[in-house]
Amino acid sequence: MSSELETFTMLPLQIDPQTKALTATSGSRALQSELASLNALHRSLLALDTPNQVPPPPLPVNPKRSANVSKLRDSGNTEYRKGKHADAVKFYTLGLQMALTRPLWEPQQLVREEVAALYANRAQAHMGLQNWAEGASDAEASVEAKRVGNSKAWWRRGKCLVEMGRLIEAKEWVSKGLEMEGDEGELVALLKDINVKLGEKSNSS
């Protein structure tokens, strides 16, 4: 017994060379209805205005914006060295706002590099204020922008997690950082410290 799927029916369709409308010299009422709907859709699409504007060509990186981002980062670094951590956070935040609002046609890798550095620096400023949750969040954002070659951000989030008492999470994070960065000295030392604290915690419980 043959299935309907195995049956092929040649439909008497014709296409108008001018309008491209489909017609059938014969066929069911359902076929005629389908063709009428299809032709109506075709006419409505043709009636749409064809966009005649082309997007602007890619522009080179705006040197003024790059200079401003660097200046804000440097200003933040200066305030951090003075111990003015809250002021440093403000400068890094302004730098992030400027970096993140670059036009979409500018290289995304440039944005990632700028953002990774600014988030990592702001994480350290938050750590100076003992804002561990904010520091952990910024360090994680830095790693998301740049996963490899960013050991300071990996370390800073790990340190913030330790300070918040989230030792298991800190161990997992630092271990992952070591996979990305190799046997980086600060990360290795932090992992040892975490393991000691975990050992002390398990012994005291």
Side-chain angles (χ1 to χ4, degrees), residues 5-89:
L5 296 175
E6 296 172 352
T7 304
F8 174 77
T9 304
M10 176 72 79
L11 295 174
L13 297 179
Q14 295 177 339
I15 185 167
D16 188 301
Q18 297 295 326
T19 65
K20 307 300 182 187
L22 287 171
T23 56
T25 54
S26 63
S28 67
R29 185 175 296 177
L31 174 60
Q32 297 292 347
S33 176
E34 287 291 332
L35 290 177
S37 298
L38 186 62
N39 289 329
L41 175 62
H42 181 237
R43 287 193 301 273
S44 66
L45 291 173
L46 289 176
L48 294 175
D49 291 334
T50 304
N52 54 11
Q53 295 182 346
V54 295
L59 297 178
V61 174
N62 186 336
K64 186 177 290 187
R65 186 182 291 266
S66 297
N68 285 337
V69 171
S70 295
K71 186 175 181 180
L72 287 166
R73 185 175 63 242
D74 292 342
S75 297
N77 292 345
T78 299
E79 295 305 305
Y80 179 84
R81 285 193 292 269
K82 291 178 183 176
K84 297 181 178 179
H85 300 140
D87 289 337
V89 167

Side-chain angles (χ1 to χ4, degrees), residues 80-98:
Y80 179 84
R81 285 193 292 269
K82 291 178 183 176
K84 297 181 178 179
H85 300 140
D87 289 337
V89 167
K90 291 177 184 176
F91 279 114
Y92 295 139
T93 300
L94 290 171
L96 280 165
Q97 290 171 353
M98 187 161 287

